[in-house]
Amino acid sequence: GASIARQEATSLRIIHPPLYPILLLLSRLQPVSGGTEEVTGPFVDIVLESLHHNHHKVRVVASRALANISSGSTDRVSSRSNLLKSCGKILDLKGSGWNAVHGALLAIQALLEVCSDPESHLNSNNDLTSKLYWYASWCNESCECPPPCASIALETLDDAARRGREVQISSRLTEQCNKASWAVISRIEEIAAYRDSLNLIGQARLGAVASRVACNCSFGGSLQALDLAKLSRLFQSDVICVRLEAVKAFKKPIYNEIDNLLNDQSTPKDARIDALVHLSQTLLAALTNETYRSGNGYVSFSGGNVTHPPTVRRISRCLLECAYAYKSLAKARHDKVGFVDMIPVEECWETCLKMMNILEDDREEGQLDVDTDTSISGNAIELMGLCVCSLLMNNDTTRGGGGDDIVRKTGIFGKVTVRLNDPLSSWRLRHSAALAIETSQHIHWVAPTTISQHAQELSKTQLELYVTTLKFLEDDDPDVRFVAGRVLGNLSVSPDSTRSLTSVPLLSFEKAYEYARSRFVGSTFTSILMSSVQENLRNLEEDLKVFVEETRHSEDTSKSSELLLNLSSDRKIFEEEDANPFEESLLVSHLVAYMMAHQPLSSLTLSIATKNGGDLLFLQQEMIKRCHTVMELIYNRMLSRTHLLHDVTRSNKIFPSIHSLLVVCIAILVQGGEDSVGLQEIAVQIVDEVSSSREESSSKATNVLHPIIMEAIATLANAKPKDDATLKGLVACCFLLPKLSSSLGS
């Protein structure tokens, strides 16, 4: 095998079938131990010769094979020290070609990787170290060698330095890596200024390697030892490969570094806070610089004036981690914990709007056009939440327009969070929006007297955020629901109560609405609740049409409904539904009906002339008209004595909508709403029809209507404004609220 390989390697150095498989087999051998010199010795010269090969893959496999057949003994030909010297001689040969240099550098890298102490080999061979540095610095910035040679040399030095840093013995190598990497970056930035006129193969990879090495060297062992000036230059470089790789290298260890900073009890807290402040300012400057570049998308080597979305995402995430760490440390230092002491809030706010592509002309619109396809918007809304927290908690009315500025920013924040609450978007965006509501603390905030003239606008945003949080509590994703429950868990159930919301899902939902009833009163909140019920009922009429069309062909059948259904009449309503109460729209309708019925009557004194009052009256009348249409359908089908199969109230898809409509209409009538279409009259007719059927001992009519629907219709027929009996009947109809029902009915 050795003789065949020798012939192939010493021929015209073009790849032949026998050569590559032999090298591949050697590269996959287990590392050699002592006593195998007679087996591996004949291959050493052959593999060294293969390092000169024209084909890149042959050189790569040959370098791996050389590392595998090497040994730790110093008195053998295959020892690592001897092989390193042989590779160093290849670097000295004049006219051997850059392929040989590249192969030798690959071999040196592979040999040092299998060494337990690579720095000792380099220290014992200063000549080899100086040669590696010369290539790593791109031939002392002369750019004589191809970029791939410089990349391999710089990676080799960096790996040795990194492994040395783990045992605190690599200060010299780290210094050399830092110096070489910055030499390369300087030359690459100069080349990039020529608009690719000097672009070389492997140049982008060399820039990435140099940037990664420079970023790792700037850490200095901890966040407090960061060289922020160099870091800022890397993050704001106009060469895309430099700043991209620097940000990636910085983000990778940031989580562990921040944890170490938070747990470092040997360093004063103020020193750790200052380190976070300075780092955050550097990251914000880099984020602003990247966000405000002229375009979007991926670019070539020298395309510096184009925004790179993944870089924006990574920098903003690093900034968020620093901000959360800052809040954790600063919480014990003062009560007003915000973002204003950390970075310029105005600059951060404008950058966030730019990240979400919110233009200046669109900021006053009712519905902002926010990009919901990327996680950049998620990071941006979290940063906006921190900015809002700073504005509210510090109450600085002397900056940026004072109260007007706070109202404007909180209004935009509320609109964006509503926009991100899209069930079709990624769960990460909804999770970020829920986190932003939590960190903003806007729901808990009470406006000071200095901006009392803006209390109504701020209260409107608070209401908007609270309703959005309630919707997050119904989210399909458990992480989103957990954050929403945590937000609501910090709210007292009533002003005179210190109880907090429990973590049990159903009870959290009930108490959240109970708190809303005591906190937000008036027609505006009631209109919002009515609109949410309307949204849940948007497909009711269409579902009824589909049901009637599907069942009309079997209405005249003589077979019993039990045979047609193959089920008994005791079937469960929710047998095919998820047991998760958050995903049950009927629960929301029960809570809304309960809240509306127990609102103070004075808070719902309406006037058609007022905008909110007009909206609420319109919603009430629309709800009553829809209920009347459904009741007419039920009554007409009752008169036809249809079978159980054809009863719309027993369809588990339609039942929640019909019951929601009934309980909300009962709540409207309890509050004094007007029945302008004769809703109660049709309800009385249904009740009378059922009563007459019972007197005639006919089971058909009583079996057709679902008993729970029948109970709600009976309550609706006898509903009176502010009537205790009607209120108790409504509470009994809300069967998904057992805790409230038991406490209120007693």
Side-chain angles (χ1 to χ4, degrees):
S3 63
I4 296 176
R6 186 186 304 276
Q7 293 174 6
E8 297 295 339
T10 56
S11 61
L12 296 178
R13 291 176 182 167
I14 58 176
I15 191 165
H16 290 286
L19 175 60
Y20 187 77
I22 293 174
L23 292 174
L24 190 61
L25 287 173
L26 290 173
S27 67
R28 293 181 177 179
L29 293 175
Q30 293 296 323
V32 176
S33 58
T36 57
E37 175 70 19
E38 65 280 0
V39 178
T40 60
F43 288 97
V44 172
D45 293 338
I46 303 168
V47 177
L48 287 173
E49 183 67 21
S50 299
L51 296 175
H52 298 69
H53 206 280
N54 295 336
H55 291 270
H56 175 267
K57 196 65 177 179
V58 173
R59 297 195 299 272
V60 172
V61 177
S63 65
R64 295 174 182 171
L66 194 66
N68 275 357
I69 65 176
S70 65
S71 62
S73 303
T74 59
D75 57 346
R76 297 187 179 186
V77 176
S78 61
S79 67
R80 295 190 186 98
S81 58
N82 289 334
L83 292 177
L84 286 171
K85 291 178 182 179
S86 299
C87 293
K89 292 178 181 179
I90 296 176
L91 299 179
D92 286 335
L93 293 177
K94 303 296 183 181
S96 58
W98 293 118
N99 286 334
V101 171
H102 182 256
L105 290 171
L106 284 172
I108 293 171
Q109 183 184 43
L111 288 168
L112 291 178
E113 283 180 353
V114 297
C115 293
S116 59
D117 186 10
E119 186 158 357
S120 63
H121 285 276
L122 293 177
N123 290 335
S124 62
N125 193 341
N126 291 327
D127 183 58
L128 179 61
T129 305
S130 62
K131 292 175 184 177
L132 282 176
Y133 174 76
W134 189 78
Y135 282 104
S137 61
W138 210 357
C139 307
N140 284 334
E141 301 185 52
S142 65
C143 306
E144 293 181 19
C145 69
C149 295
S151 299
I152 297 300
L154 186 55
E155 284 181 336
T156 303
L157 279 180
D158 179 59
D159 182 68
R162 177 185 55 80
R163 292 165 66 181
R165 281 196 297 269
E166 296 175 357
V167 290
Q168 289 83 35
I169 61 172
S170 64
S171 58
R172 184 175 69 91
L173 282 182
T174 300
E175 183 180 351
Q176 287 183 330
C177 287
N178 189 32
K179 186 177 179 181
S181 62
W182 280 106
V184 171
I185 291 172
S186 298
R187 295 299 291 155
I188 285 181
E189 290 179 339
E190 291 178 14
I191 293 174
Y194 288 96
R195 302 292 180 185
D196 285 339
S197 60
L198 296 178
N199 196 8
L200 303 173
I201 295 176
Q203 186 171 270
R205 184 175 184 275
L206 175 58
V209 171
S211 180
R212 181 175 67 250
V213 173
C215 184
N216 292 336
C217 292
S218 67
F219 259 104
S222 67
L223 290 179
Q224 300 176 67
L226 275 174
D227 191 335
L228 296 178
K230 291 183 177 180
L231 202 65
S232 177
R233 178 182 169 184
L234 290 174
F235 288 172
Q236 300 187 44
S237 174
D238 285 337
V239 182
I240 181 65
C241 60
V242 171
R243 69 174 186 272
L244 170 60
E245 196 65 27
V247 172
K248 288 172 64 177
F250 180 81
K251 182 178 180 291
K252 190 174 182 179
I254 190 65
Y255 303 102
N256 289 334
E257 293 294 340
I258 286 181
D259 288 341
N260 294 336
L261 183 70
L262 293 175
N263 297 326
D264 184 12
Q265 301 299 324
S266 61
T267 304
K269 182 178 293 185
D270 288 343
R272 289 180 284 162
I273 290 176
D274 291 339
L276 286 172
V277 169
H278 296 318
L279 175 58
S280 299
Q281 292 172 352
T282 300
L283 290 172
L284 178 61
L287 180 61
T288 303
N289 179 271
E290 186 68 28
T291 304
Y292 280 90
R293 292 182 185 270
S294 59
N296 291 293
Y298 295 88
V299 296
S300 62
F301 168 74
S302 63
N305 292 324
V306 179
T307 298
H308 188 239
T311 301
V312 173
R313 173 177 55 81
R314 293 184 180 104
I315 297 177
S316 57
R317 176 45 56 184
C318 292
L319 180 58
L320 280 170
E321 294 301 321
C322 292
Y324 292 139
Y326 171 83
K327 292 192 69 173
S328 177
L329 287 175
K331 189 173 294 185
R333 190 168 68 173
H334 51 73
D335 294 332
K336 295 180 180 180
V337 181
F339 212 25
V340 72
D341 298 334
M342 190 175 184
I343 59 174
V345 174
E346 189 66 29
E347 179 183 352
C348 182
W349 180 265
E350 294 298 325
T351 301
C352 292
L353 296 180
K354 180 67 175 178
M355 289 168 62
M356 290 187 286
N357 296 320
I358 299 178
L359 303 178
E360 186 72 33
D361 297 337
D362 299 335
R363 297 179 187 180
E364 304 303 326
E365 298 293 332
Q367 184 71 28
L368 297 175
D369 185 14
V370 181
D371 186 4
T372 58
D373 295 332
T374 65
S375 57
I376 293 179
S377 296
N379 291 348
I381 191 62
E382 289 187 54
L383 287 172
M384 290 176 70
L386 291 166
C387 292
V388 169
C389 176
S390 295
L391 291 172
L392 299 180
M393 296 304 161
N394 289 279
N395 296 330
D396 191 351
T397 59
T398 63
R399 302 181 184 219
D404 293 330
D405 186 58
I406 292 178
V407 170
R408 181 178 63 86
K409 286 183 170 62
T410 54
I412 294 175
F413 175 70
K415 294 172 185 175
V416 174
T417 54
V418 172
R419 179 67 181 86
L420 293 179
N421 184 21
D422 184 356
L424 299 180
S425 64
S426 170
W427 71 270
R428 295 181 183 275
L429 289 179
R430 303 195 301 276
H431 184 262
S432 294
L435 279 176
I437 294 176
E438 180 184 28
T439 55
S440 70
Q441 302 184 27
H442 193 6
I443 292 179
H444 314 267
W445 187 66
V446 178
T449 56
T450 54
I451 55 174
S452 58
Q453 66 274 20
H454 302 288
Q456 184 175 358
E457 293 89 343
L458 293 170
S459 178
K460 182 180 179 181
T461 304
Q462 282 182 311
L463 174 59
E464 196 173 46
L465 292 174
Y466 191 88
V467 173
T468 302
T469 306
L470 291 176
K471 292 181 179 179
F472 282 139
L473 203 58
E474 304 172 48
D475 198 271
D476 293 340
D477 187 82
D479 292 332
V480 178
R481 296 200 300 268
F482 177 78
V483 176
R486 195 167 59 193
V487 174
L488 298 175
N490 293 325
L491 300 172
S492 298
V493 176
S494 59
D496 58 348
S497 174
T498 59
R499 292 181 300 156
S500 60
L501 298 177
T502 177
S503 60
V504 178
L506 183 58
L507 295 182
S508 295
F509 220 12
E510 291 181 0
K511 292 181 179 180
Y513 273 81
E514 185 180 352
Y515 171 82
R517 179 175 63 88
S518 62
R519 171 76 182 276
F520 304 109
V521 295
S523 58
T524 301
F525 187 41
T526 307
S527 298
I528 293 175
L529 296 177
M530 291 279 289
S531 298
S532 67
V533 176
Q534 286 271 40
E535 179 67 17
N536 292 335
L537 302 179
R538 62 185 181 277
N539 297 324
L540 174 57
E541 286 79 5
E542 184 65 25
D543 292 339
L544 286 172
K545 290 180 181 179
V546 172
F547 180 86
V548 172
E549 179 65 23
E550 288 180 348
T551 59
R552 68 182 180 85
H553 299 291
S554 60
E555 288 181 353
D556 297 330
T557 181
S558 59
K559 295 182 179 180
S560 65
S561 55
E562 286 79 6
L563 294 176
L564 292 172
L565 283 172
N566 196 27
L567 292 170
S568 67
S569 59
D570 297 328
R571 62 179 300 190
K572 297 180 180 179
I573 301 172
F574 305 112
E575 60 185 359
E576 297 178 357
E577 299 194 9
D578 193 339
N580 180 7
F582 289 136
E583 299 177 3
E584 179 50 64
S585 60
L586 185 55
L587 172 62
V588 179
S589 299
H590 286 183
L591 289 166
V592 170
Y594 160 77
M595 290 181 59
M596 290 174 56
H598 290 80
Q599 282 272 36
L601 188 60
S602 59
S603 68
L604 292 178
T605 302
L606 306 175
S607 170
I608 297 293
T610 63
K611 180 179 184 299
N612 291 330
D615 290 344
L616 181 56
L617 285 178
F618 175 78
L619 289 172
Q620 286 181 343
Q621 291 305 310
E622 282 295 310
M623 197 74 71
I624 289 177
K625 289 178 182 178
R626 293 182 71 182
C627 188
H628 183 270
T629 302
V630 174
M631 296 287 285
E632 281 187 332
L633 175 65
I634 293 174
Y635 181 66
N636 292 333
R637 294 180 69 84
M638 276 184 58
L639 296 178
S640 63
R641 294 294 190 264
T642 57
H643 291 289
L644 184 68
L645 173 66
H646 308 106
D647 178 24
V648 295
T649 64
R650 293 183 184 270
S651 170
N652 58 345
K653 185 177 182 180
I654 301 177
F655 172 87
S657 299
I658 294 179
H659 198 269
S660 298
L661 200 58
L662 289 170
V663 295
V664 171
C665 287
I666 294 172
I668 292 173
L669 296 178
V670 167
Q671 280 293 340
E674 182 183 357
D675 179 10
S676 60
V677 293
L679 175 61
Q680 286 187 287
E681 294 179 8
I682 191 71
V684 170
Q685 291 177 6
I686 294 175
V687 172
D688 292 343
E689 179 65 24
V690 171
S691 299
S692 62
S693 298
R694 288 175 179 171
E695 293 175 359
E696 296 172 1
S697 301
S698 173
S699 62
K700 291 184 178 179
T702 55
N703 284 339
V704 167
L705 284 187
H706 195 286
I708 293 180
I709 296 291
M710 190 62 233
E711 180 184 17
I713 293 175
T715 305
L716 177 64
N718 300 311
K720 298 177 182 178
K722 287 302 176 183
D723 179 58
D724 291 339
T726 306
L727 284 174
K728 289 184 178 181
L730 176 62
V731 170
C733 290
C734 297
F735 57 87
L736 289 179
L737 307 178
K739 184 176 185 302
L740 289 178
S741 300
S742 60
S743 62
L744 294 171
S746 59

